[in-house]
Amino acid sequence: MSAPLEIVILAAGQGKRMYSDMPKVLHHLAGRPLLAHVLESARTLKPAAVHVVYGHGGERVRKAFAQAGVNWARQAEQKGTGHAVAQATPAVSDQATVLVLYGDVPLIRSQTLQELLQAAGSGSLALLTAKLEQPAGYGRIIRDKAGQVARIVESKDATLEEAAVREVNTGFVAAPADKLKKWLAGLRNHNAQGEYYLTDIIAMAVAEGVPIATRSPRDISEILGVNSKQELAQVERIYQKQQAEKLMQQGVTLCDPARLDVRGELSCGRDVVIDVNVIFEGKVVLGDRVQVGPNNVLRDSTVGSDTIIHPNCVIEQADIGVDCRIGPFARLRPETKLAAHVHVGNFVEVKKSDVGEGSKMNHLSYIGDTSIGSGVNIGAGTITCNYDGANKHRTVIGDHVFVGSNTALVAPVTVGAGATIGAGSVITKEAPAGELTLTRAPQLTKPGWKRPVKKAKK
Ligand code: UD1
Ligand code: CA
């Protein structure tokens, strides 16, 4: 049986170069904290335990991840990566294999980590290394004449000759817990930075004859760390490009893969077309042949097959049926449920409302806390007055109702099936089924009335 896996995530760094009051690992990548991405990769490895080392502003990190089911280890002072890992290891079982991850290196693929763990096998130390054109700043991998790893030298401690080495330490390492604990206890901070370097365990392992294995990431982006807003933006673009690639691989048409942002989970049916500048947040599901026009924002919503979302809509927590037409410039707010073939046109806002099959509200309306039957036509400018200043009330509109333009429906109110409401009405009482109801001041004409004219100046 192989050793249980325990993961240590280092997240104590201050993130000075972010120039932010927020701990670095809480900054968002694709709508979620950096640390959430690392935790997700960690979880795919099915570890027996995950330990997060936190420091600067760490209470906020703990709070944000209170439900994450991780062990917390506080590193009060940042004394180096070795010191950081040592804060977590007392809680790690001696039989475990320890994998070290970084809260600010979010694009690491679980496949790469799996390969690293395989290389660690039982009893070896495995390092993830990469060959870089510009190795400046990274720890260099120093190999002996036989090509075996001998030690790691940090950039600031490197001789000119060592600094010329292009194979670098990515920081990701896997090692047996019992040995790791012993090595960490032996670390000294006699180096350029006065820190306890995790990287010094390599030479210790070599001295004990522990085999060192190395593996490399498939893509260099996997090892990119976030230290500044520039790097955060760079990592965001890489991540979004990867999302776009995945969608196109599944057959989704993206008018421009560089102008799509998925901040959550997007699943698409067949022959979906997504135009430019569309943002998906949370969990969004698009059915077959859905078309999403430019400049749309969709959050936590479901869109039925053959529905077209025209440009410039904001859609949140809505459940849209098949073959609907939404927008341009529509706003669907939480708890909106549209049946099949519904049309919601420009400058229409719908909130907490159910709309029946084939009903249409094409222009300039507010529909809130309303239940609308099927085959209903809501005229331009219709407003449900759902709020009396203290409480919200419901409006109920039966099947095949026709509401004339510029109607105010003062809730609570019911419009019976098949009723017609005359344009410009203020409906405060039940409008009976099948009848015409209207409230309207009578039109009058004053024959021969003359407009006032300006008095002539003397
Ligand atoms: C480290 C490695 C270096 C490697 C580089 C890759 C060491 C000594 N050096 O260098 O070989 O090439 O990463 O990016 O390990 N952290 C803590 N507590 C601390 C110090 C750091 O939690 O006391 C965390 C930081 O938040 C960060 C990570 O550890 O997530 C790396 O720390 P950083 O100072 O950036 O390491 P480097 O000096 O870049
Ligand atoms: Ca450092």
Side-chain angles (χ1 to χ4, degrees), residues 378-390:
I378 303 285
T382 296
I383 305 293
T384 55
C385 310
N386 60 330
Y387 185 53
D388 58 15

Side-chain angles (χ1 to χ4, degrees), residues 205-281:
V206 171
E208 282 179 27
V210 172
I212 314 278
T214 58
R215 290 291 181 276
S216 294
R218 192 167 63 184
D219 197 295
I220 287 301
S221 68
E222 292 183 54
I223 63 159
L224 288 178
V226 173
N227 295 297
S228 64
K229 290 293 170 73
Q230 288 90 331
E231 287 172 352
L232 182 62
Q234 188 190 3
V235 163
E236 176 80 30
R237 280 309 102 207
I238 294 168
Y239 182 90
Q240 293 303 342
K241 196 175 163 201
Q242 290 171 351
Q243 301 297 300
E245 289 293 331
K246 268 189 218 158
L247 289 167
M248 290 189 292
Q249 237 150 43
Q250 293 159 16
V252 176
T253 300
L254 300 177
C255 295
D256 182 356
R259 283 183 287 170
L260 167 75
D261 288 86
V262 180
R263 300 171 189 159
E265 215 183 298
L266 171 64
S267 65
C268 294
R270 288 180 81 79
D271 294 307
V272 165
V273 178
I274 301 171
D275 213 321
V276 302
N277 297 332
V278 178
I279 300 175
F280 294 97
E281 297 183 333

Side-chain angles (χ1 to χ4, degrees), residues 166-454:
R166 285 176 37 219
E167 187 183 11
V168 305
N169 174 34
T170 65
F172 292 91
V173 55
D178 51 352
K179 294 198 175 86
L180 177 66
K181 289 182 186 186
K182 195 183 68 190
W183 297 327
L184 290 174
L187 289 180
R188 295 290 171 267
N189 63 349
H190 303 149
N191 51 54
Q193 303 189 85
E195 289 183 359
Y196 296 91
Y197 290 165
L198 177 60
T199 45
D200 285 350
I201 67 170
I202 311 306
M204 295 177 177
V206 171
E208 282 179 27
V210 172
I212 314 278
T214 58
R215 290 291 181 276
S216 294
R218 192 167 63 184
D219 197 295
I220 287 301
S221 68
E222 292 183 54
I223 63 159
L224 288 178
V226 173
N227 295 297
S228 64
K229 290 293 170 73
Q230 288 90 331
E231 287 172 352
L232 182 62
Q234 188 190 3
V235 163
E236 176 80 30
R237 280 309 102 207
I238 294 168
Y239 182 90
Q240 293 303 342
K241 196 175 163 201
Q242 290 171 351
Q243 301 297 300
E245 289 293 331
K246 268 189 218 158
L247 289 167
M248 290 189 292
Q249 237 150 43
Q250 293 159 16
V252 176
T253 300
L254 300 177
C255 295
D256 182 356
R259 283 183 287 170
L260 167 75
D261 288 86
V262 180
R263 300 171 189 159
E265 215 183 298
L266 171 64
S267 65
C268 294
R270 288 180 81 79
D271 294 307
V272 165
V273 178
I274 301 171
D275 213 321
V276 302
N277 297 332
V278 178
I279 300 175
F280 294 97
E281 297 183 333
K283 197 164 186 271
V284 176
V285 179
L286 305 181
D288 296 336
R289 298 171 299 279
V290 165
Q291 296 176 38
V292 182
N295 308 321
N296 278 297
V297 179
L298 287 89
R299 182 180 308 134
D300 293 315
S301 294
T302 304
V303 181
S305 297
D306 297 299
T307 284
I308 299 176
I309 316 278
H310 291 295
N312 299 296
C313 298
V314 178
I315 295 170
E316 181 180 5
Q317 283 176 45
D319 182 355
I320 302 173
V322 302
D323 191 39
C324 290
R325 299 290 175 272
I326 311 297
F329 299 100
R331 177 162 184 220
L332 303 184
R333 290 173 52 201
E335 293 180 59
T336 291
K337 195 169 186 317
L338 309 183
H341 319 297
V342 166
H343 291 193
V344 176
N346 33 221
F347 308 107
V348 174
E349 174 180 347
V350 185
K351 184 214 83 171
K352 208 173 183 178
S353 295
D354 290 339
V355 181
E357 201 171 318
S359 291
K360 297 184 170 97
M361 50 210 78
N362 276 327
H363 332 268
L364 301 156
S365 278
Y366 172 58
I367 304 295
D369 304 299
T370 300
S371 146
I372 295 179
S374 59
V376 169
N377 190 80
I378 303 285
T382 296
I383 305 293
T384 55
C385 310
N386 60 330
Y387 185 53
D388 58 15
N391 298 299
K392 300 271 168 65
H393 301 283
R394 286 198 75 78
T395 299
V396 177
I397 299 174
D399 294 341
H400 305 291
V401 163
F402 183 97
V403 180
S405 295
N406 207 31
T407 292
L409 299 163
V410 183
V413 72
T414 300
V415 181
T420 302
I421 306 296
S425 295
V426 177
I427 301 297
T428 54
K429 292 182 295 221
E430 180 177 346
E435 308 288 354
L436 169 65
T437 299
L438 71 162
T439 66
R440 189 176 291 170
Q443 180 168 328
L444 92 168
T445 302
K446 292 192 173 183
W449 180 84
K450 291 282 184 291
R451 279 190 213 162
V453 291
K454 280 188 178 163

Side-chain angles (χ1 to χ4, degrees), residues 117-185:
L117 287 172
Q118 258 154 31
S122 42
S124 314
L125 190 155
L127 280 177
L128 193 70
T129 74
K131 283 221 168 74
L132 298 183
E133 291 298 330
Q134 316 245 314
Y138 286 88
R140 309 298 204 283
I141 306 292
I142 308 301
R143 292 180 182 266
D144 63 19
K145 288 201 186 78
Q148 297 297 311
V149 175
R151 59 197 169 88
I152 297 177
V153 60
E154 287 304 293
S155 227
K156 286 182 174 145
D157 301 296
T159 63
L160 275 179
E161 198 186 339
E162 288 166 339
V165 172
R166 285 176 37 219
E167 187 183 11
V168 305
N169 174 34
T170 65
F172 292 91
V173 55
D178 51 352
K179 294 198 175 86
L180 177 66
K181 289 182 186 186
K182 195 183 68 190
W183 297 327
L184 290 174

